[in-house]
Amino acid sequence: MNPSDVIAVLQWWSVLFVLGLGFVPLTFRLFDSFFDKGYIFSKLIGMLLTGYLMFVLGVLHLVPFTTVAIMSVFLVLAVGSFFILPAKWKTLFALKRFWFIFVCEEILFLCALFLWAFIHSYAPDIHGLEKYMDYGFVNSFLRSEYLPAKDMWFTPFAINYYYFGHLLTAMLTKLSGISSTITFNLMLSTIFAFCFTQTFSIGANLYTFLRTNERVSVLKRTLTGVLTACLVTLAGNLHIVYAFFKPYKTDNPVPFWQLQFAPFDFPNNSYWYPNATRFIDHTIHEFPIYSWVVADLHGHVLDIPFVLLILALFLSLIIAHTQPKLEDDQSDENIVNKTFQVHPLLLLFIGLLLACMYMTNAWDGAIYLLLAVLVLVYIHGLKIPFYKKRLGKEEDDGVEIIRKNEPKKRLWKPKEWQVIWGRDLLLSILMITAGFFIFTTPYNINFKPFVSGIGVLCMPDFLNSIGKIGPFLFEADHCQRSLWWQLLILYGFFYFFVVIFAIQILRSKRQTPTDVFVLLLIILATFLIIVPEFFYVKDIYPAHYRANTMFKMVFQAFILLSISTGYIIVKTFSEMQLRDGRPLNRIKELAFFITTLLIVSLVLTYPYLAVKSYYGDFKMYKGLDGLTYLKTLYPADYEGIAWLNDNVTGQPVILEAQGDSYTDYGRVSANTGLPTVLGWTVHEWLWRGSYSIPSPRIEQIKTLYETSNTQTASSLLKQYNVEYVFIGTMEYQKYPNLNEAKFQQLGKIVFQKDNTKIYKLN
């Protein structure tokens, strides 16, 4: 990396370090049972709390979205975090024995950040796929005085999408003082670093809690953390086996055993790495390493650190509640008066975290609310014996009643302890749910969901004729199902270990808390894989109607199963070491070791092929500036965009050519954050819920560029409050009859480079 890029990475990291340092006390309180005190999560907690409070204050127009305001909010919250700790300085001083662990995790984070920043520097272009959309959101936030930010592709409306992660990116950009052309790539590298280090912490702590009654080997704990981190962050699926066979037609996948075996062609140029994420027809089933490679700063990527944070929090909760103290409690307080097994403030924090997840990637809020319920059911279930013991009502199964002229009958009622247990559980769930809805209110004020129901797959014809019952849709010819061998390719790696784990659970007389945690992850992941085979959430895509449903669900399933697999591998090896040395046991141990080594090596081969392909064998270093491609592709337009960024403040409306999604149209608004009349039409169709909303603007923009009638143009320009008109390469291509004379009458040229001009209207 060149020196300027190295400085940018260090400058960016220093902001994250300070954010984390301010919330170390709160993090230590949340993860007191972790061997590393959850240190690596402090950065994310600092980002989340500072960003959310800035968001609320911005929506209420109480505080502008400025660097000074962000720093002030951070300082107030950081001081509050310190006073959460009991014994304050004494507690912090006692943590000095953990300094080596903290330093090691910080170095690991910095190395991961540098690694992926270095990889990005070979293909930093903010260009292609949905990068324009993500980058436009970030730039719109950077230009916003108050929140929410304006939709850069549909003036004068606010963004109607899941944008909290983009808000955090803009916040870090302001704090670091680095251009968004660089921080776009730095944020992607940061999420990679978060993913690797957070899963390292989760994996290492799972091993620590697994060996809770023994002296924990630091080496084994570290190796477990690294294994878990590699599986979540770098692993692909078993589709990689196709690299050892002759290629199939992308649109017509077949079982690999029907192809010609060609092991000596590996690694070969015929293997196309995106096929691993489009293996099932008309669907999407991505995983983190694919997202790192293609480098879209999209909601499902931005939410990965939050997902790992809430998983770590649930693990910490389960561990904290598996050693009840009630038996030794000599106080007069009865357990039935202790309504919440989890502290109400912690329940509200979970609600806040789920709300931020929803605002970043809506599906994740619902998915992990379900997991929160499962965790609470387990935690409250642990206390059932103590409810029984204190109440002394174990035999109160029911009562007999006799009414006049009626036969005697038994009227059943729940045991008293069941009523109280159910009440306490329900109150805890309601507190999280209430917190979730309260914390999402500032977002929901300006957000309109763009789904229109839940589709049911493969329904009988008579139901298809009904069309809709409540939220459920019955659409004719909507019967896509995954084939068994496709599911085997995508998830067979994980379920090989899940089956082993299930056998261990069935044979064991007692499950450890870590077993329960992993079991909950597996149950949820399996549910997420099954659901898209029967239901889909209705959007605007006719042929790919279950694509988004599968995408958002199985992406999370991959993360959950990867964490589970790391734990199962280590647990299995640990149990094998406890067996005697009989030949049969040795054979089983050797067979498991060889099989594990083989298939883990297979899935970890994916990043080699994917990164190598996308980043051009690392032959051309470009740096971290994501806008340099414009200098080559549209050099004069690049100069015009740079002029706008340097000379135009606020968010005046700019007119540019309208075009289809995933094209270079919308380049000016995306690269400046200035709102335009209409950008990517299909995206706006999705966000606004109807094609009839954005479509009239298509002809209006064409009229603006091509009409020679000054009055007509002036009327439309005033309708959308247009202040600047951009005429460049895409405008000349889109509108061959472009008439420039009227703009000369309505304004003046403020920028010109070759054929690219910018008019400022009077």
Side-chain angles (χ1 to χ4, degrees):
M1 297 178 69
N2 61 43
S4 63
D5 287 339
V6 172
I7 292 172
V9 173
L10 291 174
Q11 188 174 336
W12 178 265
W13 166 80
S14 65
V15 171
L16 294 169
F17 178 76
V18 172
L19 279 172
L21 202 61
F23 289 87
V24 157
L26 174 59
T27 306
F28 289 169
R29 191 75 184 271
L30 290 173
F31 298 100
D32 182 61
S33 57
F34 277 27
F35 81 92
D36 59 354
K37 300 299 177 183
Y39 170 79
I40 206 62
F41 296 95
S42 62
K43 294 178 175 58
L44 188 63
I45 292 173
M47 286 171 53
L48 182 148
L49 294 178
T50 304
Y52 182 79
L53 185 53
M54 276 303 306
F55 170 66
V56 173
L57 294 174
V59 168
L60 296 175
H61 285 213
L62 296 176
V63 175
F65 189 57
T66 63
T67 304
V68 173
I70 296 169
M71 293 175 65
S72 301
V73 167
F74 162 72
L75 289 173
V76 170
L77 290 174
V79 171
S81 171
F82 171 73
F83 282 102
I84 286 176
L85 273 179
K88 310 301 185 296
W89 295 110
K90 182 179 179 181
T91 303
L92 289 178
F93 184 75
L95 292 170
K96 66 180 182 179
R97 65 182 183 274
F98 297 101
W99 71 268
F100 183 73
I101 296 173
F102 302 157
V103 170
C104 289
E105 289 194 341
E106 196 65 60
I107 291 173
L108 183 63
F109 179 86
L110 188 58
C111 288
L113 179 63
F114 263 110
L115 170 64
W116 213 257
F118 172 76
I119 291 173
H120 269 308
S121 64
Y122 284 88
D125 303 344
I126 308 174
H127 185 229
L129 298 177
E130 292 186 290
K131 293 181 181 63
Y132 271 5
M133 184 201 84
D134 296 315
Y135 189 47
F137 285 171
V138 173
N139 284 327
S140 185
F141 274 110
L142 289 172
R143 285 185 173 271
S144 298
E145 181 180 7
Y146 293 102
L147 304 175
K150 294 180 179 178
D151 186 341
M152 71 286 174
W153 285 338
F154 201 69
T155 186
F157 298 96
I159 297 172
N160 196 58
Y161 197 69
Y162 316 115
Y163 54 68
F164 188 70
H166 302 93
L167 167 64
L168 294 182
T169 306
M171 182 185 77
L172 293 176
T173 300
K174 283 181 176 288
L175 289 175
S176 67
I178 305 171
S179 169
S180 63
T181 63
I182 295 175
T183 62
F184 184 90
N185 287 314
L186 287 178
M187 190 62 176
L188 286 161
S189 304
T190 301
I191 299 169
F192 174 86
F194 270 136
C195 186
F196 193 89
T197 51
Q198 289 175 334
T199 48
F200 170 85
S201 176
I202 292 172
N205 276 287
L206 278 171
Y207 177 80
T208 302
F209 298 133
L210 175 65
R211 316 300 294 176
T212 186
N213 295 323
E214 305 173 19
R215 183 178 179 85
V216 176
S217 165
V218 175
L219 177 61
K220 291 181 179 178
R221 180 166 63 191
T222 303
L223 290 176
T224 304
V226 170
L227 173 63
T228 307
C230 287
L231 289 176
V232 177
T233 314
L234 299 174
N237 51 39
L238 287 178
H239 185 271
I240 194 67
V241 299
Y242 282 87
F244 297 92
F245 293 81
K246 292 295 183 182
Y248 62 87
K249 292 182 180 180
T250 300
D251 295 332
N252 186 31
V254 296
F256 65 85
W257 53 83
Q258 294 181 9
L259 300 173
Q260 182 181 346
F261 188 48
F264 298 109
D265 288 347
F266 179 86
N268 59 71
N269 294 327
S270 62
Y271 181 76
W272 184 228
Y273 69 92
N275 286 347
T277 68
R278 305 294 191 276
F279 190 57
I280 300 174
D281 192 34
H282 291 91
T283 67
I284 306 171
H285 36 79
E286 295 181 9
F287 38 82
I289 182 59
Y290 179 81
S291 299
W292 314 137
V293 171
V294 300
D296 271 5
L297 195 60
H298 223 41
H300 68 283
V301 177
L302 287 160
D303 203 44
I304 290 174
F306 294 132
V307 166
L308 298 175
L309 171 59
I310 203 166
L311 290 178
L313 192 57
F314 289 155
L315 173 60
S316 178
L317 279 173
I318 287 175
I319 296 302
H321 286 80
T322 48
Q323 296 180 354
K325 299 177 181 179
L326 292 172
E327 289 181 313
D328 301 323
D329 186 3
Q330 301 300 320
S331 67
D332 294 330
E333 180 185 11
N334 192 301
I335 187 173
V336 298
N337 296 323
K338 187 179 180 182
T339 302
F340 297 102
Q341 297 300 336
V342 181
H343 196 286
L345 289 178
L346 184 51
L347 293 172
L348 287 176
F349 180 77
I350 294 172
L352 172 62
L353 182 51
L354 289 170
C356 290
M357 294 170 72
Y358 168 78
M359 296 186 296
T360 305
N361 191 44
W363 289 78
D364 296 350
I367 290 170
Y368 291 98
L369 177 58
L370 177 58
L371 182 59
V373 171
L374 294 177
V375 170
L376 287 175
V377 169
Y378 172 70
I379 288 174
H380 281 73
L382 291 172
K383 307 302 180 183
I384 287 177
F386 302 103
Y387 280 104
K388 290 181 177 181
K389 180 179 178 181
R390 291 294 180 92
L391 289 170
K393 300 287 185 179
E394 293 187 62
E395 303 303 323
D396 185 14
D397 291 334
V399 294
E400 291 183 354
I401 61 172
I402 303 176
R403 292 191 179 97
K404 189 176 181 180
N405 300 324
E406 288 186 10
K408 182 174 72 172
K409 57 184 176 181
R410 179 169 289 274
L411 181 67
W412 290 96
K413 68 175 184 178
K415 298 177 183 179
E416 188 176 349
W417 68 264
Q418 290 176 327
V419 174
I420 299 172
W421 171 78
R423 180 204 66 186
D424 293 354
L425 173 61
L426 180 61
L427 285 173
S428 295
I429 294 172
L430 287 176
M431 179 161 281
I432 289 179
T433 307
F436 171 80
F437 282 107
I438 291 170
F439 292 125
T440 54
T441 297
Y443 172 81
N444 287 328
I445 289 172
N446 298 286
F447 175 74
K448 181 181 179 182
F450 37 84
V451 299
S452 55
I454 300 173
V456 184
L457 292 166
C458 305
M459 285 293 98
D461 292 339
F462 77 92
L463 281 175
N464 292 334
S465 63
I466 294 175
K468 186 175 183 179
I469 300 176
F472 295 100
L473 304 174
F474 307 98
E475 299 181 289
D477 302 320
H478 280 51
C479 189
Q480 295 176 358
R481 288 276 171 81
S482 307
L483 301 175
W484 69 268
W485 55 268
Q486 292 175 321
L487 294 173
L488 180 65
I489 290 294
L490 298 183
Y491 310 112
F493 167 76
F494 298 119
Y495 282 94
F496 168 76
F497 295 103
V498 168
V499 170
I500 292 174
F501 182 64
I503 294 172
Q504 293 172 349
I505 293 294
L506 292 173
R507 287 179 175 177
S508 176
K509 296 180 179 179
R510 179 178 175 273
Q511 283 72 51
T512 65
T514 49
D515 288 342
V516 173
F517 174 75
V518 169
L519 185 60
L520 292 178
L521 299 192
I522 292 171
I523 291 171
L524 179 59
T526 305
F527 172 77
L528 296 176
I529 292 170
I530 291 173
V531 166
E533 302 301 320
F534 297 94
F535 303 96
Y536 62 93
V537 174
K538 177 70 174 177
D539 52 32
I540 66 170
Y541 302 109
H544 297 74
Y545 45 84
R546 71 173 182 140
N548 269 327
T549 304
M550 179 177 286
F551 172 28
K552 297 301 175 67
M553 288 192 166
V554 302
F555 191 88
Q556 298 307 316
F558 188 97
I559 293 175
L560 298 174
L561 289 173
S562 296
I563 293 173
S564 302
T565 299
Y567 171 80
I568 294 168
I569 290 173
V570 173
K571 175 181 171 65
T572 304
F573 276 121
S574 298
E575 291 187 352
M576 285 179 173
Q577 292 174 0
L578 299 176
R579 297 175 185 171
D580 58 49
R582 286 183 291 183
L584 182 59
N585 288 335
R586 291 297 186 188
I587 292 172
K588 290 180 180 178
E589 184 176 345
L590 181 62
F592 179 75
F593 174 78
I594 294 174
T595 304
T596 300
L597 183 63
L598 175 62
I599 58 178
V600 168
S601 299
L602 272 177
V603 297
L604 289 177
T605 304
Y606 182 85
Y608 168 75
L609 296 178
V611 172
K612 186 172 180 287
S613 175
Y614 190 87
Y615 293 91
D617 288 333
F618 300 101
K619 292 179 179 178
M620 184 180 295
Y621 181 84
K622 297 180 180 179
L624 288 173
D625 191 332
L627 223 58
T628 53
Y629 76 96
L630 273 176
K631 293 181 181 179
T632 303
L633 199 58
Y634 310 113
D637 290 1
Y638 171 83
E639 297 289 342
I641 289 170
W643 184 90
L644 289 169
N645 281 325
D646 292 339
N647 295 278
V648 177
T649 58
Q651 287 189 285
V653 179
I654 187 165
L655 179 68
E656 66 172 321
Q658 166 276 335
D660 295 330
S661 298
Y662 309 103
T663 66
D664 289 351
Y665 290 102
R667 72 208 183 285
V668 180
S669 46
N671 287 307
T672 62
L674 296 173
T676 191
V677 178
L678 180 62
W680 284 3
T681 308
V682 174
H683 276 65
E684 289 298 339
W685 174 11
L686 173 66
W687 301 339
R688 305 299 158 184
S690 172
Y691 182 71
S692 63
I693 295 176
S695 60
R697 299 191 181 195
I698 298 174
E699 284 301 318
Q700 290 175 334
I701 296 171
K702 181 179 180 181
T703 299
L704 279 168
Y705 275 107
E706 294 190 341
T707 185
S708 58
N709 189 316
T710 304
Q711 186 176 355
T712 300
S714 177
S715 177
L716 285 171
L717 291 169
K718 288 179 181 178
Q719 178 181 339
Y720 294 110
N721 295 314
V722 176
E723 294 187 35
Y724 291 90
V725 176
F726 195 98
I727 300 176
T729 307
M730 304 300 291
E731 286 69 32
Y732 286 117
Q733 290 179 5
K734 183 79 172 184
Y735 310 110
N737 298 320
L738 192 149
N739 185 300
E740 194 176 330
K742 59 183 176 295
F743 297 129
Q744 296 171 355
Q745 299 178 38
L746 296 170
K748 62 179 181 179
I749 295 177
V750 292
F751 172 85
Q752 182 170 2
K753 174 75 173 179
D754 299 331
N755 289 328
T756 298
K757 303 180 184 70
I758 300 175
Y759 284 88
K760 184 174 180 8
L761 303 181
N762 297 326

